[in-house]
Amino acid sequence: MSSPSAAASSPAPALDGGVILEEMLEEILLRLPPQPSSLPRASLVCTRWRRILCSPGFLRRVREHHGRSKPPPLLGFFDEAFCRDKRPIFKPTTMGRWDRIPPARFSAPWIRGEGWAFLGCRHGLALLICQKRREAVVWDPLTGHQRRLAFPPGFCRKKGRLVQNAAVMCTAAVEDGHVHGDCRFTPFRLALVGSDSDGTHNFACLYQSESGVWGDVVSLETTRSTCVCVAKPSVLVRISFCWLVSEGGILEFDFESQSLVVIQKPADVNVVGYHWSFLVVRTQHSGLGLAVFPEPDYCQSGIIQLWERKSNRDDVVGWELPKTIQLDGLFSFELTGKSKAVMMQGYDEDSNAILLSTFYGEYMLQLESTQFIYLIEHQSNYIRTRTYYPYRNFYGTGSRVGGRDGGAEMSMH
C-alpha cells in the first residue's frame, strides 16, 4: 500500500483542457436531441465546444448514435399540388421556431415548362423525373448534389412507353454501420414504372448505381384499370417497391427477381373511382398493407380500414382486415358538416403513419398507436388534391434556422 505522502505527490488526471474532459464532453454532447438547432446553439457556448461539434468524426458519431435507435427527425414535407410542372414547396413541421427549416433552404432543381414531377423522398434522397428531357434526377436536398440519369432506351414516346412513377432507395448495408438519412449518394437503386399508350402493358426498369447501368425492361400484360397512379409515392415493402394503381390495386416490383405483379384490392372493398380513397402502407410486421376509406364519398369518411396481405393456414395469400380506425373523437375538433372532409395525402414509412388533410390543417396518424400529431397549419378554407412527401434527415445547419442566423457555420454533410 502506498503511503499518504506518495499518494499526495501523484499527479491527478488532467481534466481541465485534457483528453478526459474532451471525451466526457463528447459523450454529453452526443446525447443532445437531434433537432436542427441543437448543435449550432451548443456551439455558441465556447470555442472548445465549437471545435468538438464541428469535427467530422463527431458529427458522424451523432448520426450513428441517434440513427441506431430511431429514424432521422422529420424536418417537414415536400408539397406538390396535383398538377405537374409546379415546383414542390418545402413545408417545415410545427416545431419550435429555432428548428423550423426555411423553405428556400430546400429548393428543388426545376425548369418551368419541361414537365417535371416530384416523386418522393427516401433515405434522405429525393427523386424527380422530367418527361421532356427523358431524365431522372436523384437529389440530396441537404447538399444540393444531383445525379442525373437518362431514361433507358425502352422508355420512349416512339415505343409508346411512358414513365408514370419511380422510386429510389439507398442500398448501403445498415449492418455495416450505415445510417439511413446520411446516404450522400452511397450505392442506390432507382426504379421507373409506366405503361404503354394503349394501356395493355405495365413496364418497370431498375438502375443500380454500383454497376452504373439499367437492367432489362420488365413487361406485364394488364388493362387500363391497372394504370400506375402518378399522384401517389412508392412504398418500400421488404424487397419490393409498391405503387397504387387506378382502382385501388397495387403494382409490386420485386427488385431482386426484377418481376412485376398486380395485386387486386380486397374483394370486400366496393369503393370505386377516386384513388384518394386508397393508400399503400406497411403493416406492423413490415408486410404489405392498404389503407381504405370504405365509404363511397372519401371526403366524408370517418373510418379508415387497414387491410393486411398475409398467408392463411393453407398458405394461400390474401387480404385480411385486422384493424379499423374511427376518426371521430381523435381530432381536437368535431367531424361534422363541412369540417368532416378528410383526405389521405401522404405516408411516412419510417414511422408507419399517414398524413391526413382536413380543413383545419395537416395531421399525422400513427397506425399502430392511432396517435395524432398536428403538423402543418392550413392557409385556406378548403382541401386541395395534392401529395405530401415526408422528408427526414439529420440537419446541422450552415444556413439559417428559424429565419435567423444560427450563429454557427456548421454542416453535418
Side-chain angles (χ1 to χ4, degrees), residues 329-341:
L330 291 180
F331 290 103
S332 58
F333 50 86
E334 188 177 358
L335 290 173
T336 58
K338 175 183 175 182
S339 70
K340 195 174 181 180

Side-chain angles (χ1 to χ4, degrees), residues 43-354:
S43 73
L44 300 176
V45 172
C46 64
T47 303
R48 174 178 289 154
W49 283 36
R50 178 182 174 85
R51 185 179 68 252
I52 294 172
L53 293 167
C54 291
S55 163
F58 174 78
L59 297 175
R60 192 177 306 111
R61 288 188 65 197
V62 169
R63 293 189 290 265
E64 292 173 354
H65 174 78
H66 290 288
R68 278 195 297 264
S69 58
K70 59 181 65 176
L74 179 65
L75 301 182
F77 300 84
F78 285 97
D79 166 13
E80 186 181 40
F82 188 50
C83 178
R84 292 312 188 205
D85 206 31
K86 286 190 176 181
R87 183 188 294 270
I89 299 171
F90 179 76
K91 290 187 174 182
T93 57
T94 53
M95 298 185 288
R97 66 188 182 98
W98 292 106
D99 290 312
R100 290 173 62 84
I101 311 299
R105 177 65 177 84
F106 297 140
S107 182
W110 207 265
I111 299 177
R112 184 175 294 278
E114 292 194 337
W116 284 94
F118 190 95
L119 294 178
C121 307
R122 182 176 289 112
H123 301 158
L125 302 176
L127 178 62
L128 306 92
I129 64 169
C130 179
Q131 299 285 7
K132 185 175 182 179
R133 288 175 175 254
R134 298 187 60 250
E135 188 175 72
V137 175
V138 180
W139 171 51
D140 181 348
L142 275 184
T143 65
H145 293 161
Q146 305 172 25
R147 284 284 299 274
R148 293 179 174 265
L149 302 167
F151 289 175
F155 282 90
C156 64
R157 292 183 181 274
K158 290 183 179 180
K159 292 187 176 183
R161 295 176 180 175
L162 304 178
V163 176
Q164 293 172 305
N165 216 312
V168 69
M169 67 173 290
C170 170
T171 59
V174 176
E175 297 80 7
D176 296 335
H178 177 76
V179 177
H180 285 320
D182 183 38
C183 300
R184 307 292 190 274
F185 295 110
T186 50
F188 65 89
R189 289 189 183 100
L190 168 65
L192 301 179
V193 291
S195 62
D196 54 17
S197 55
D198 62 7
T200 60
H201 289 83
N202 280 329
F203 299 92
C205 194
L206 183 69
Y207 175 86
Q208 302 199 63
S209 65
E210 288 182 293
S211 64
V213 297
W214 289 96
D216 296 332
V217 176
V218 181
S219 174
L220 174 68
E221 188 173 353
T222 184
T223 64
R224 288 187 179 275
S225 65
T226 53
C227 177
V228 181
C229 177
V230 296
K232 296 290 187 179
S234 67
V235 176
L236 176 61
V237 181
R238 296 174 181 150
I239 58 172
S240 298
F241 291 125
C242 298
W243 293 268
L244 189 71
V245 295
S246 297
E247 295 184 359
I250 297 170
L251 179 68
E252 181 181 26
F253 176 49
D254 184 318
F255 47 71
E256 289 198 353
S257 65
Q258 297 199 33
S259 59
L260 273 176
V261 64
V262 171
I263 301 170
Q264 299 298 328
K265 69 182 179 183
D268 294 337
V269 173
N270 298 316
V271 183
V272 296
Y274 295 102
H275 50 244
W276 300 101
S277 296
F278 302 92
L279 193 68
V280 181
V281 298
R282 285 203 297 235
T283 66
Q284 185 175 2
H285 306 294
S286 300
L288 178 61
L290 187 67
V292 181
F293 279 140
E295 298 176 14
D297 188 350
Y298 65 94
C299 274
Q300 299 295 321
S301 180
I303 297 174
I304 295 179
Q305 292 180 342
L306 294 178
W307 292 85
E308 182 176 359
R309 189 82 173 165
K310 60 190 305 184
S311 300
N312 62 19
R313 293 179 179 177
D314 299 322
D315 289 331
V316 177
V317 180
W319 290 106
E320 294 185 7
L321 180 60
K323 190 171 187 177
T324 298
I325 298 176
Q326 296 282 344
L327 296 180
D328 294 312
L330 291 180
F331 290 103
S332 58
F333 50 86
E334 188 177 358
L335 290 173
T336 58
K338 175 183 175 182
S339 70
K340 195 174 181 180
V342 180
M343 293 181 68
M344 297 186 292
Q345 297 194 135
Y347 176 66
D348 181 21
E349 290 179 351
D350 290 304
S351 64
N352 195 21
I354 59 177

